[in-house]
Each structure stands twice: as structure tokens, then as C-alpha cells.
Amino acid sequence: MRTAASIISPGTEKMIMDLAKKSLIGKAKERPDLVRQVITKARTHGVLATFQNVMAKMDKPLPLGYSAAGVVEAVGPEVMDLKIGDRVTMAGAGYASHAEMNFVPRILTSAIPDGISFEEAAYSTVAAIAMQGVRLARPELSEAVVVSGLGLIGLVAVQLLKANGCRVLGIDFNRDKVEAGLRLGLDEGVVLPDDNAARAVERFTKGRGADLTLITAATSSNQPIELAGEITRRKGRIVVVGAVGLNIPRDVYYHKELEVKVSMSYGPGRYDRSYEEGGLDYPYDYVRWTEGRNIESVLDLMRSGKLNVRALTTHRFPLNKAGDAYQMIGNGSESYIGIVLDYDLQKPQQKTIPVAAVGQPKSTDRLGIGFVGAGNYSSVHLLPHLKKNTEAQLLGLVSATGLNARTKAEKFGFTYCTTELKSVLEDPAIDALFIGTRHSTHADFTVQALAAGKHVFVEKPMVVTEEQLSAVIDAYVRANEKQRIGLMVGLNRRFAPMVTRLKSVFDPKDPLQLIYRVNSGQIPTSTWLHEPDEGAGMLIGEMSHFVDVMQFICGERPVKVFASALSLNSKKYADQDNLSVVITFDGGSVGTLCYNTVGNGAFAKERLEVYGGGNVAALDDFRSLQIVKNGKLTQSKAANQDKGQQREVKDTVEAFRTTGTAPISFSELVATMRVIFAARKSASAGEPVEVTL
């Protein structure tokens, strides 16, 4: 989507701005539940590793905006009802951002009816929030309703309630907003603290109290919920739409037996990835009003003249002056309601953006690196090590959003950033591409990079299907017919210092018994990791790590796999997340992997035990190693985990630069994925599966 107009939601976005300005302690007070998770993680992973992960998450930029409109720039192959050039609304935080270009799931867009301007259509998502709150409230003709908070959403709600035949009283601390409400049909307005809200409602309702109170304010204060309890009649209804304090005063609510509902954004489907990203719409007959259908509804009301959003606009700024808009919101220098950002639809799209290191010539003795996918893992475990590597030169960074690309490019010292993979593939200065995107993209990006003559480092898993594995093998073979091209997969655990030491304990001639137990804790099946087209589950997405470590330690090749899955009758767990996998190797070694998500993350995650030749070694969470060799016990401990990422990056850069190979042989990488696919077949068939190499 090429954006034409977007709406600043002052209440929501100011709260985000205020949170961003708070200290670490202030942020911690806002989310004590996350603090508990951090403490638990620190106990198992160490303070330093935990601190690095927390800071990386907090350092990730958050795009602002969630309600916009524009023109279709391109469509995916499954989008049949929209075409390039169509006028369309956009919805959703992280999708309908304040950006010239946005990448939006089809179900979060709606065609703009004729007669509605881009500016009006840009209000559609904001209006849908009010619409969902009104739907939950179930207003009836002639009911007396109070709207507490007359910002954008409150003023839309006033119009929707009037369209439902209600008598509406509005309350706000800002006189300008109350007057705007009166112009839009409000029956009576109350300006706090000058007016007495309780008396006004008593007069407005003839002493009965409000049938319904809709809270649309945005404040951490508990005042709105307390006032609602005071002014709503016995057995009345209260719907909370805005982000307000929810410390409900029990006595008032108990004695009046008040019904309280909290409205969830724009309607059913919100925060459901299968709906928003997967496009799985809810059945019309059973879920009449989804977030998408709420947006369509407000567009219809705009077209019919029953909803006037143009009257809400108090300020307009061109995109390059957006900072002035946020400064106005932050310091409260002016009274505002609707703030519109305008975009130039004719402005040429910029493919790449130069950043801090612009002007640095390509070094002939360093490896030119392009990086795609600057998420949390990459930002903690890969990019810092690449930045410090004197043999690497960071050139082009690709990320799905321009905001993240620019921020990470500046932080780690890239020459330029972009949102298009093509830009780095066509850059002759880039020798190697590092891929840290979601699992489903790994194979395609790897094939493209190999075809472009680039060395490839791709995070695990290398592929998610056997067909993709065949495609990568073909691409690797073709690439190496012309020159030596290295392909490396991010199987970092074999590079961990404690794993290297553990391997040295055993004689390569002795067959080994290896037992790897993994307690990952519950992984919600709703996350992208379990989407068939995204993460492909924990067997595909995670277990290659442990297969690779066992293959590395015994130094043998897998020949047979038997896997059995835990039988669970619960939607909380995926079918093949809880597996016991027995791997037979060609030198007589046997490896057993027990991976489960039915445990608890408060317990240690990983334990590896190895037996052979009269010796024993046990590794616990990469922080403790016990070795019994020749009958003598030695123990070593580390304050923090080292899972090998730093050495992995160093060895990869050196191998790519000097020999055009990778630290792990291509045959081993293929063998690991063959084991994973054999385990999947075995778990389904209930019998051993031969590994074909």
C-alpha cells in the first residue's frame, strides 16, 4: 500500500510516547509480569545473557499509527478482489503505520466507497474501535447514555449512539472537545472539573442514572471507572473502550450490580494471527461483526452521512512535519482532536537509504556482508559479533519495516538499509548474505542468494519441507560449479566452548550413547512458530540444533531414526512438539533426543549426557559441565551461557573469506535435515525410518 493519509491517535500514541520516556524502573513498574519472567530467565541463562535479550527487545523501535488509507501498490498471488491502483483503507498496529509504504494483510483492508476521501477513510480503524464498544453496549432507543472522554473515539461513539436513537451526555476535561461534541449531536456536555458530573447526569436522567456509560478516555487514572460507578443506574451497563485504570471500587459496583465489559479494539479477529495474517475469516452467520466488517460498517455510515469524521480534523501535517505534530501532543501547546498526516502519492519510492557508514569504500580484504532479518535473535546473537569482526564489512541491511531497518543499520554500522532483498542480491560489493528471517523464507532466500553468487549463512532450520531441501541442494551444486560458494546454517551449539571440551573427552573410535533432554516450557500453538507456512512447529524449527550437536560429538553419520510423540488431547500443545527421537549412527553410536513443551520454563532447559569408552560427560544449560575421565571427576561452571554464537560467526566469516567454504560441511547440514524429516515420518508411521543421504 502507498499511503495517502493516516490518523494520529493522540490518546494511544501519547501513552506509548510517555512509556518510551520512562526509565527501566518505570517500565518495570508498568509490567511486573514481565519482570518475573526476566528473573526466572536470569536464573537459568545467567544475568548477562538475560540482560542482553531484554535490552534488545527494549531497543526495538515501535512503529506508530494503526489507521490509514491509500492506494494498492502490489498484491500477493492469492488476492483476487483487489488490484493495483485501488483505493483501500488499512488497519492494525504494525501494518497501517505512519509510513509512505505499508505491507498489509488482505483481511485488514477494505475498499473505499466512491464519494469518501482518503482523509475520511483514514479514520475507519479509529471509528471501528468506537463501533465495537457501542456494539458491546447494546444501546436501545431512547436510552440515556454517558460518554466519558470526548477524544477521537468518544466523538465517533457520540455519533453512533445518536444514530441508534439514544440521548447522549458527554464528559471531558477539555472544553473544546465538549463543544465539538455538542456540534456533532451531543444532547448535553459536562466540562470537568468546572461542572459537577454527578448532578448533571442526575438531571439529565431525571434522577434515574445513566442506562449505559461508555468510557472512551485514555488515562492511567482510576477516575473514569470510579465516576462511571457513581453515575450509572442500578443494574446498568459500563463498557470500557479506552485505556484507563481498572481498579473497580467494589462497594459501588456490588450494590448496584453493574455489568462491566472491556471492549477489545476493533472487534473479533483482533490479535488472532490466523485471522489477521492468515486471512481465516470468521463465519458470517456466527460472528456477524468482525474487525473487518466493523470497518466496512463505518465506511457505509460515512457514505450515508450518518458519521461525520471530517469534522473531527483539527490539524493536518505533511509527513515530513510529523515531528511537529508529536511535539504538539507531547507539550499540550494546542487543543486538538483529529490529527491527519498527509502523504505525497507521486513521490518516487526510495529503494535504499544511506546511513551512518555512507562513503566507506568496499574493502578488498574484508568480507562484504548483506544481512536480511534484523529481529531480536539477530540483534543479540549475530549482529554484535559481525560488527566487532575486523574481517567483515557490513554493507546492506534488509528488514521488513523501514523503521527497524534504519534503526538497526545505524546501530550496527551498515552502509545502507532497505526493505527489498533484491537490492543486496544485486550489490556486487556484497560477498555473503546472512539470513535471520522467519523459517518459511529461509529456503527461498538461500536459493536466491546462491544463484546470485553469494555465500550464505542462514539461521536454522535451513528448510521447512523436503521439497525445499531438494531445491537448496540443487542451488548449492549449481553455484559451486562456477566458483566455490559456502553455505552455513546457524547451528551454533557445536561451537560452544563447553561442547568443544566435552567432545575432546571421547576417543573418536568409541561408539557413544548420547542423551539430550530439552525442557522448552509451553510454547503457545497460536504463535507463528506453529503456522505450517511460517514456523512449521518445533520439530522442524528447533530440534535440528540437538541433532547437529549429537552428530558433531560422535563424528558419525545418521542411518536410522525412530520417533514417538507424546499423546496429548489438548489444543495447548502441537502434535509433534513432544517427541522422543532415537538416532542410530553408522559408527555404532546412538543418540536419544527427548524434547518436550509439557514441562515448565522455570526448570533448566537443556541437559546433554554422553557415555562411551569408560568416560562420562554431562552438560547443563551451557553453564555447568561435569566430566568423568579415567575415573576422575572434574567440574566447570560459567556465570553466563555461551551457546557458541560468537565463535560460530567468527569461523563462518573466516571460512567464507579464505576458502569459500563453511565451518560445517554441506553433507552434515543435509544429514541433519534428513533426520528431522525422518523423525516426522517415523512419529506418524510408528516405525523406524532409514535416513537417505
Side-chain angles (χ1 to χ4, degrees):
M1 299 287 300
R2 185 180 287 271
T3 310
S6 64
I7 304 300
I8 293 179
S9 179
T12 301
E13 296 187 37
K14 187 175 187 302
M15 291 180 71
I16 294 172
M17 291 162 57
D18 291 343
L19 178 62
K21 294 174 184 176
K22 289 185 177 181
S23 65
L24 285 174
I25 299 299
K27 291 184 172 79
K29 288 180 179 179
E30 293 285 330
R31 293 296 303 273
D33 55 323
L34 295 182
V35 173
R36 288 190 291 271
Q37 292 180 29
V38 169
I39 293 172
T40 299
K41 187 178 179 72
R43 289 179 181 141
T44 56
H45 292 72
V47 174
L48 178 60
T50 302
F51 178 77
Q52 289 173 334
N53 275 280
V54 169
M55 293 309 294
K57 286 188 182 237
M58 295 184 68
D59 189 45
K60 185 176 181 179
L62 180 65
L64 294 172
Y66 61 83
S67 190
V71 176
V72 175
E73 182 80 5
V75 297
E78 296 181 21
V79 177
M80 309 301 292
D81 56 339
L82 290 177
K83 63 183 184 300
I84 294 171
D86 283 353
R87 300 189 322 134
V88 180
T89 66
M90 296 176 265
Y95 301 122
S97 305
H98 300 312
E100 291 172 324
M101 298 290 293
N102 279 299
F103 185 77
V104 189
R106 168 63 186 92
I107 207 163
L108 294 182
T109 67
S110 293
I112 301 174
D114 293 339
I116 296 179
S117 66
F118 282 123
E119 178 180 318
E120 291 170 306
Y123 277 100
S124 59
T125 310
V126 171
I129 296 174
M131 174 72 80
Q132 177 62 15
V134 171
R135 291 199 194 285
L136 282 183
R138 307 183 314 276
E140 297 182 4
L141 280 168
S142 298
E143 278 195 315
V145 181
V146 172
V147 176
S148 179
L150 297 176
L152 268 183
I153 294 171
L155 291 174
V156 171
V158 167
Q159 296 181 69
L160 298 177
L161 289 164
K162 292 301 295 181
N164 273 276
C166 299
R167 298 174 57 246
V168 186
L169 179 145
I171 300 174
D172 202 282
F173 285 88
N174 186 298
R175 184 173 298 277
D176 291 341
K177 293 179 180 179
V178 173
E179 291 176 355
L182 292 170
R183 290 193 297 271
L184 289 169
L186 200 63
D187 294 289
E188 190 170 327
V190 172
V191 181
L192 298 177
D194 299 342
D195 301 331
N196 187 306
R199 289 179 185 172
V201 173
E202 184 178 17
R203 181 179 64 255
F204 185 71
T205 63
K206 300 178 182 178
R208 300 183 179 104
D211 297 300
L212 160 68
T213 297
L214 202 69
I215 301 176
T216 53
T219 173
S220 59
S221 168
N222 210 52
Q223 183 267 347
I225 200 74
E226 293 174 2
L227 178 61
E230 182 181 357
I231 63 179
T232 307
R233 69 170 172 83
R234 191 183 301 272
K235 297 184 183 294
R237 300 161 347 256
I238 296 171
V239 176
V240 182
V241 179
V244 297
L246 282 176
N247 184 16
I248 296 175
R250 187 180 187 278
D251 282 352
V252 173
Y253 279 69
Y254 171 77
H255 287 294
K256 286 189 174 182
E257 202 174 31
L258 296 171
E259 177 186 352
V260 181
K261 289 185 178 181
V262 178
S263 180
M264 187 180 69
S265 200
Y266 354 121
R270 187 71 182 109
Y271 309 113
D272 180 351
R273 288 190 68 254
S274 63
Y275 174 92
E276 293 191 329
E277 293 188 4
L280 186 62
D281 201 357
Y282 300 153
Y284 186 90
D285 293 342
Y286 297 94
V287 186
R288 175 63 182 90
W289 295 110
T290 61
E291 58 178 312
R293 292 194 271 271
N294 273 337
I295 290 173
E296 290 178 2
S297 177
V298 297
L299 288 170
D300 287 339
L301 290 172
M302 291 179 198
R303 181 174 56 178
S304 66
K306 294 183 175 65
L307 177 60
N308 181 1
V309 292
R310 185 175 286 276
L312 302 176
T313 301
T314 56
H315 294 79
R316 292 182 183 84
F317 293 86
L319 182 63
N320 62 355
K321 297 291 185 181
D324 296 342
Y326 286 103
Q327 186 175 14
M328 178 187 73
I329 294 170
N331 60 30
S333 58
E334 297 180 37
S335 180
Y336 54 81
I337 300 175
I339 304 171
V340 178
L341 295 181
D342 288 321
Y343 300 72
D344 181 1
L345 284 174
Q346 306 306 316
K347 181 181 178 181
Q349 185 182 352
Q350 194 171 351
K351 301 296 184 181
T352 63
I353 299 175
V355 289
V358 67
Q360 292 185 3
K362 170 66 172 71
S363 173
T364 56
D365 61 346
R366 291 199 289 169
L367 186 76
I369 289 177
F371 202 105
V372 53
N376 189 59
Y377 181 85
S378 296
S379 298
V380 175
H381 298 296
L382 298 178
L383 287 167
H385 302 314
L386 284 171
K387 181 180 181 181
K388 295 176 183 176
N389 194 309
T390 57
E391 295 181 346
Q393 184 174 8
L394 305 184
L395 299 175
L397 176 67
V398 186
S399 187
T401 65
L403 178 60
N404 190 50
R406 179 65 177 261
T407 303
K408 296 299 172 62
E410 291 177 344
K411 178 177 180 179
F412 294 107
F414 282 83
T415 299
Y416 64 88
C417 64
T418 178
T419 56
E420 291 191 356
L421 180 64
K422 184 179 179 181
S423 297
V424 294
L425 292 179
E426 294 179 349
D427 186 345
I430 289 178
D431 306 306
L433 183 68
F434 278 63
I435 302 170
T437 51
R438 287 189 178 183
H439 302 167
S440 60
T441 64
H442 288 181
D444 180 43
F445 289 176
T446 297
V447 169
Q448 290 188 56
L450 290 172
K454 314 292 187 187
H455 302 295
V456 177
F457 174 101
V458 58
E459 259 308 317
K460 59 82 196 161
M462 179 167 61
V463 299
V464 297
T465 68
E466 291 186 85
E467 293 77 15
Q468 289 180 353
L469 181 59
S470 296
V472 169
I473 292 172
D474 290 344
Y476 178 79
V477 171
R478 286 196 303 272
N480 278 274
E481 289 173 352
K482 302 176 183 177
Q483 58 182 319
R484 186 170 286 182
I485 298 292
L487 172 58
M488 175 65 177
V489 178
L491 299 167
N492 53 278
R493 280 164 171 77
R494 68 159 65 193
F495 296 93
M498 286 187 173
V499 171
T500 303
R501 185 178 173 195
L502 184 154
K503 178 180 171 67
S504 69
V505 170
F506 301 95
D507 191 318
K509 298 189 296 293
D510 291 329
L512 304 178
Q513 179 83 284
L514 306 100
I515 303 170
Y516 211 134
R517 185 271 301 152
V518 183
N519 162 50
S520 72
Q522 184 185 348
I523 300 170
T525 55
S526 60
T527 68
W528 68 269
L529 289 167
H530 286 103
E531 293 288 341
D533 297 330
E534 288 284 350
M538 306 314 294
L539 170 59
I540 302 294
E542 181 75 7
M543 297 187 206
S544 56
H545 265 314
F546 317 111
V547 173
D548 176 71
V549 169
M550 292 191 287
Q551 183 178 204
F552 168 68
I553 290 171
C554 71
E556 303 169 14
R557 295 294 174 266
V559 293
K560 186 185 296 184
V561 175
F562 178 76
S564 183
L566 194 64
S567 297
L568 295 165
N569 295 316
S570 172
K571 293 183 179 180
K572 288 172 60 179
Y573 306 101
D575 291 342
Q576 293 188 348
D577 275 6
N578 296 275
L579 282 175
S580 292
V581 183
V582 179
I583 308 166
T584 304
F585 293 90
D586 61 1
S589 295
V590 177
T592 302
L593 169 63
C594 177
Y595 187 100
N596 77 82
T597 65
V598 294
N600 193 292
F603 190 71
K605 180 182 178 182
E606 298 179 35
R607 179 176 174 85
L608 170 63
E609 298 178 6
V610 184
Y611 305 85
N615 301 316
V616 180
L619 173 65
D620 283 298
D621 262 339
F622 298 87
R623 295 183 66 190
S624 173
L625 177 63
Q626 293 179 297
I627 294 172
V628 175
K629 186 168 185 176
N630 301 324
K632 182 181 178 181
L633 172 65
T634 59
Q635 300 184 67
S636 57
K637 293 187 177 181
N640 291 283
Q641 286 184 334
D642 184 346
K643 291 185 179 180
Q645 288 97 342
Q646 182 174 3
R647 187 183 145 208
E648 172 193 49
V649 169
K650 179 180 180 298
D651 289 0
T652 298
V653 170
E654 183 177 355
F656 284 173
R657 191 179 68 84
T658 59
T659 64
T661 61
I664 304 176
S665 70
F666 186 66
S667 61
E668 287 181 275
L669 298 175
V670 172
T672 293
M673 291 311 305
R674 297 282 193 210
V675 169
I676 295 299
F677 294 131
R680 183 170 61 182
K681 292 177 183 176
S682 178
S684 299
E687 58 187 23
V689 173
E690 301 288 336
V691 178
T692 304
L693 298 178

